[in-house]
């Protein structure tokens, strides 16, 4: 007994040992608390398949790499665990990837799944709190006020601008005629779509100030790359660490540069709006209702709403303008480039598209109207098939504000779950699309559309927070594609397998969109073949 007492007396702990034991105790306590908080999520996760998650960092290791490597890993996860739902730990947060159209519908249409997930906080330095990223209460208000800006009568007024800007595109492309070395479609299409959205939505013409457009486009691509890097790099989550990283890499001015053009447009339009108010006074020169309506653009609508008490702050206006500029230009440019590349790879489909265009426009110089776009049925199938294969926004993140039941196995996703709608996975779901990686516009003929679930195609998302500009996008892309193909045939040495995808904030071609062009033989295919 005395020996035991003596041993206890002789027992001593060094300071470092005390610290180590305290750290161990703290870690055990934190770990137990962590497991307790996640108990509901882990009980659901136990019923699902998915990549392995590690304590605190989740599945982050699965998304380390270049934008091309990350894209490959996203595709592998969808392919390996499809049709899901798939569990995935987003850092310490529980996530579920949904792919089946029935599950997608259950989430996108649920009023408790309208909140954008915390991951969108990382892109607010680009979009602020515009419609894309705004919290639900703010989104509801802005969406209700802005939606009338996209009615059919206003969209119809955009067609003169659509025609004008695409004629400029055709003129600019002439320098590529006769060359055997491929050029990148992006270099011509991206400035055109940006100019379009600036003039149709902001009333601002970039033709004479193209340097502002180039600066904005370059800043947008760099900002997307930086925010994408931040999303997959946990140590950059803290704002001060991200700012330090930008400073060390020489990118401190990227986001300020991005805002130069939007702020310039807002200021000039605000001044013009003030002048127009003077013209509308009884003592001013008379302006007809028709003329006044033609002068109104998206920015005018925001100013008018403020006059009526909407209380948009300067930051609110800037955020909506930036969201509109990027949503209305980048997404359309990517889709047009992919579509033309697909037609270059598939010349038989290109011929079929041109034959339809020829049926609508016998006169080569005929100006396209909104009625004409409704007749370009097969061209729309091509655009939709391109969006199916290459959805510009491949993933949508929602934070569930309550438990939500989905169709698969009557599974209930608990409140707080990060729900990831894999548009890419849904668009390549083999039950909806046989041979899902084959370019086949017939996937969107009326019969096939009727036989598929409504939510098997969600290129513009779906539910209440679906894309507000989907009609604008489809109309503008039809005008661009039909104008291009009326004048030029497009060719490439690429095959479908040569296309490598990458993801920053949007899905892009890693190697650009290399093509050559020739003057269009304006005869329809059956006449050309007959002569041969």
């Amino acid at each position: 007994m005395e020996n035991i007492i003596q041993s206890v007396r002789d027992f001593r702990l060094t300071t470092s040992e005390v610290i180590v034991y305290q750290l161990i105790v703290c870690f055990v306590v934190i770990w137990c608390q962590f497991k307790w908080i996640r108990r509901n999520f882990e009980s659901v996760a136990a019923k699902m398949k998915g990549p392995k998650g590690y304590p605190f960092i989740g599945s982050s290791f699965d998304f380390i790499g270049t934008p091309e490597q990350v894209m490959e890993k996203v595709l592998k996860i969808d392919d390996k665990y499809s049709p899901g739902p798939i569990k995935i730990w987003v850092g310490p947060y529980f996530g579920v990837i949904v792919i089946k159209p029935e599950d997608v519908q259950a989430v996108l249409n649920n009023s408790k799944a309208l909140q954008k997930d915390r991951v969108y906080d990382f892109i607010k330095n680009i979009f602020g709190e515009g419609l894309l990223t705004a919290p639900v209460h703010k989104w509801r208000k802005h969406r209700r006020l802005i939606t009338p800006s996209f009615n059919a009568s206003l969209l119809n007024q955009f067609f003169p601008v659509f025609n004008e800007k695409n004629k400029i595109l055709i003129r600019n492309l002439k320098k590529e005629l006769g060359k055997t070395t491929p050029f990148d479609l992006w270099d011509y299409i991206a400035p055109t779509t940006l100019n379009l959205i600036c003039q149709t939505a902001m009333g601002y013409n970039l033709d004479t100030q193209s340097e502002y457009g180039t600066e904005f486009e370059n800043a947008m691509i760099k900002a997307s790359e930086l925010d994408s890097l931040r999303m997959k790099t946990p140590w950059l989550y803290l704002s001060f660490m991200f700012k330090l990283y930008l400073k060390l890499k020489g990118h401190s001015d990227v986001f300020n540069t991005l805002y130069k053009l939007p702020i310039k447009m807002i200021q000039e339009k605000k001044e013009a709006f003030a002048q127009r108010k003077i013209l509308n006074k009884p003592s001013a020169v008379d302006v007809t209702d028709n003329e006044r309506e033609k002068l109104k653009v998206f920015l005018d609508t925001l100013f008018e709403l403020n006059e009526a008490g909407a209380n948009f702050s300067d930051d609110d206006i800037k955020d909506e303008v930036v969201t509109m500029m990027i949503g209305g230009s980048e997404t359309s440019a990517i889709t047009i480039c992919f579509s033309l590349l697909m037609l270059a790879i598939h010349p038989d489909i290109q011929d079929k598209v041109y034959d339809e265009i020829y049926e609508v426009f016998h006169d080569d110089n005929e100006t396209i109207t909104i009625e004409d776009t409704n007749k370009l049925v097969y061209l729309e199938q091509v655009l939709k098939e391109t969006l199916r294969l290459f959805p510009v926004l491949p993933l949508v993140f929602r934070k569930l504000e309550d438990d939500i039941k989905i169709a698969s196995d009557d599974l209930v996703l608990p409140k707080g779950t990060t729900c990831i709608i894999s548009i890419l996975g849904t668009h390549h779901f083999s039950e909806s699309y046989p041979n899902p990686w084959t370019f086949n516009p017939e996937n969107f003929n009326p019969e096939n559309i009727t036989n598929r679930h409504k939510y098997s195609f969600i290129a513009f998302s779906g539910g209440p927070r679906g894309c507000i500009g989907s009609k604008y996008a489809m109309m503008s892309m039809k005008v661009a594609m039909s104008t291009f193909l009326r004048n030029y045939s497009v060719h490439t040495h690429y095959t479908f397998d040569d296309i490598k995808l990458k993801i920053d904030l949007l899905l892009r071609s890693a190697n650009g969109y290399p093509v050559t062009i020739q003057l269009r033989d304006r005869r329809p295919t059956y006449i050309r073949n007959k002569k041969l």
Side-chain angles (χ1 to χ4, degrees), residues 221-349:
I221 292 174
K222 177 54 68 175
S224 297
E225 292 172 353
L226 290 169
D227 278 350
S228 175
L229 174 67
R230 187 183 185 189
M231 287 180 187
K232 60 187 181 186
T233 311
W235 65 271
L236 292 178
Y237 288 178
L238 297 175
S239 294
F240 82 91
M241 290 297 294
F242 186 56
K243 290 179 181 177
L244 178 61
Y245 174 83
L246 293 179
K247 186 174 182 179
L248 292 174
K249 292 294 184 178
H251 300 314
S252 299
D253 291 333
V254 167
F255 297 98
N256 289 332
T257 301
L258 179 71
Y259 285 134
K260 280 185 182 178
L261 177 59
I263 291 173
K264 177 179 173 63
M265 289 192 299
I266 292 169
Q267 186 58 41
E268 290 188 13
K269 286 301 296 180
K270 185 180 289 187
E271 293 171 2
F273 180 77
Q275 290 296 317
R276 194 168 305 134
K277 283 176 62 180
I278 296 174
L279 288 176
N280 285 338
K281 291 181 178 179
S283 58
V285 177
D286 288 339
V287 179
T288 67
D289 290 341
N290 186 47
E291 289 171 334
R292 190 173 295 119
E293 186 67 24
K294 284 185 178 181
L295 292 171
K296 187 191 300 184
V297 293
F298 173 72
L299 256 179
D300 289 326
T301 300
L302 294 183
F303 295 145
E304 287 182 0
L305 288 169
N306 254 1
E307 289 283 317
N311 295 320
F312 285 117
S313 68
D314 288 344
D315 281 341
D316 288 339
I317 293 175
K318 181 192 70 176
D319 294 346
E320 296 301 353
V321 166
V322 172
T323 299
M324 193 67 65
M325 287 175 67
I326 296 172
S329 64
E330 289 284 299
T331 55
S332 294
I334 292 171
T335 303
I336 292 169
C337 288
F338 267 126
S339 295
L340 289 171
L341 185 58
M342 287 295 98
L343 293 183
I345 294 172
H346 302 88
D348 55 329
I349 297 177

Side-chain angles (χ1 to χ4, degrees), residues 98 187 193 254 287:
V98 294
D187 296 336
T193 57
V254 167
V287 179

Side-chain angles (χ1 to χ4, degrees), residues 419-437:
C419 195
I420 306 167
I421 295 92
S422 176
I423 297 178
L424 195 66
T426 301
H427 284 188
H428 294 85
F429 185 37
S430 57
E431 290 185 19
S432 300
Y433 303 98
N435 303 313
W437 282 101

